[in-house]
Amino acid sequence: ENAIPKVHSPKPFPPDILSAIDKLIADETALPRTERLILRLCRAVGPRISEALMLPCDSVTYIEGRGYKLEYFQTKIDEWRTVPLPPKLGRDLVTQKQWVATTYGPNCTWMFPYAGQRPRQNTIVDPEAIGPWPFDRFRLVLWKVYQEHGIVESALTGETLTGVQIHRFRHSIATGLLNEGWSQYEVQSFLGHKSPTMMQAYAEINEDLMRKKYLEYIESSVDFDGHKIDTDDNAAIDVERM
């Protein structure tokens, strides 16, 4: 997907940082409605932030019997992505679409229009020229909220955040789905990756899952006579050796 070969090192959020962000999202008073909805969308299905901020209003649809789906064009790889949405998030995005039409008129095509001050300009946008949320403004607003809620450092890993790093939601979603038993191809399809080479970088199976799967393998093993092998403490030692 990239013209210049490079080594990809995806970095999911530490569990305590991710938990703190989830609590922030659950708090309806912590963020304004639109900013919170953008953050919910990124956390749930992992769009690239540039694509999330520029979503058109018609990107969310409802199909009877199948639920809500999000469909948008991925500018980075020149491919469309279609992904299912959690029911409540889908309903809230439809409500957002209706709010945009009421507030800015039917000619406003952006799911998340922005009419405030733009960074470095300190001017109000012309109402007749409403555009999507600028990334710099969204990043500054969200980072301020992160700092107010102490989401700046992981007590588990010691990592200090240097910004909102929204793209890491994709990393967390990918590793989370892989650890839940999804295949690499399924996660590749869900995230909208064009090639499997990028997915290989996301394949970080956590140690607890590897231990669980190996113990399940041991417990289901049989000897040469077809008798089930009893699991003992040596199995755990074998895992450590792996």
Side-chain angles (χ1 to χ4, degrees):
E1 296 178 15
N2 298 287
I4 301 175
K6 60 182 294 188
V7 176
H8 294 282
S9 298
K11 196 174 183 182
F13 281 114
D16 57 337
I17 291 289
L18 201 59
S19 177
I21 294 174
D22 287 342
K23 290 180 180 178
L24 179 68
I25 292 174
D27 184 356
E28 296 184 1
T29 65
L31 279 166
R33 181 183 57 83
T34 299
E35 290 90 316
R36 178 170 172 265
L37 187 56
I38 297 172
L39 184 61
R40 285 174 59 198
L41 177 65
C42 293
R43 174 68 180 99
V45 295
R48 298 175 181 88
I49 183 57
S50 59
E51 295 162 350
L53 294 176
M54 298 187 69
L55 283 177
C57 275
D58 60 359
S59 58
V60 176
T61 55
Y62 177 79
I63 301 176
E64 190 66 35
R66 300 185 66 181
Y68 293 92
K69 71 172 183 177
L70 176 70
E71 186 173 22
Y72 64 94
F73 188 72
Q74 299 178 105
T75 54
K76 180 179 180 180
I77 61 173
D78 292 328
E79 292 283 348
W80 285 89
R81 181 192 181 195
T82 302
V83 61
L85 291 170
K88 189 176 187 310
L89 178 59
R91 291 193 296 270
D92 290 345
L93 286 170
V94 170
T95 300
Q96 170 73 8
K97 174 182 176 180
Q98 296 166 346
W99 176 83
V100 169
T102 302
T103 306
Y104 298 103
N107 293 329
C108 183
T109 60
W110 307 107
M111 178 69 75
F112 305 114
Y114 180 79
Q117 294 182 347
R118 293 186 179 271
R120 304 186 186 92
Q121 294 182 8
N122 199 34
T123 57
I124 301 298
V125 178
D126 181 0
E128 299 298 325
I130 297 295
W133 259 82
F135 170 69
D136 283 346
R137 174 58 63 185
F138 183 73
R139 176 180 58 82
L140 290 173
V141 169
L142 192 56
W143 181 233
K144 182 179 179 181
V145 175
Y146 273 28
Q147 292 174 313
E148 291 173 350
H149 286 77
I151 309 176
V152 294
E153 184 178 8
S154 170
L156 297 177
T157 65
E159 177 188 354
T160 299
L161 294 186
T162 57
V164 293
Q165 302 175 344
I166 296 176
H167 192 79
R168 289 178 69 177
F169 284 132
R170 289 176 65 84
H171 304 174
S172 296
I173 291 171
T175 53
L177 293 177
L178 288 169
N179 288 335
E180 287 296 322
W182 286 42
S183 69
Q184 288 194 36
Y185 177 75
E186 289 171 332
V187 178
Q188 174 190 336
S189 300
F190 181 82
L191 288 178
H193 282 296
K194 193 173 184 178
S195 67
T197 55
M198 184 61 194
M199 270 312 307
Q200 292 172 6
Y202 282 105
E204 299 180 3
I205 307 299
N206 68 40
E207 295 177 1
D208 289 340
L209 181 69
M210 183 172 69
R211 179 186 299 273
K212 176 183 176 183
K213 285 186 174 292
Y214 184 66
L215 290 178
E216 289 175 351
Y217 165 74
I218 292 295
E219 291 172 355
S220 63
S221 300
V222 295
D223 60 20
F224 288 108
D225 296 321
H227 301 300
K228 186 177 182 303
I229 299 176
D230 291 332
T231 304
D232 55 26
D233 293 336
N234 289 333
I237 297 175
D238 291 340
V239 174
E240 296 297 337
R241 289 172 178 166
M242 286 186 66

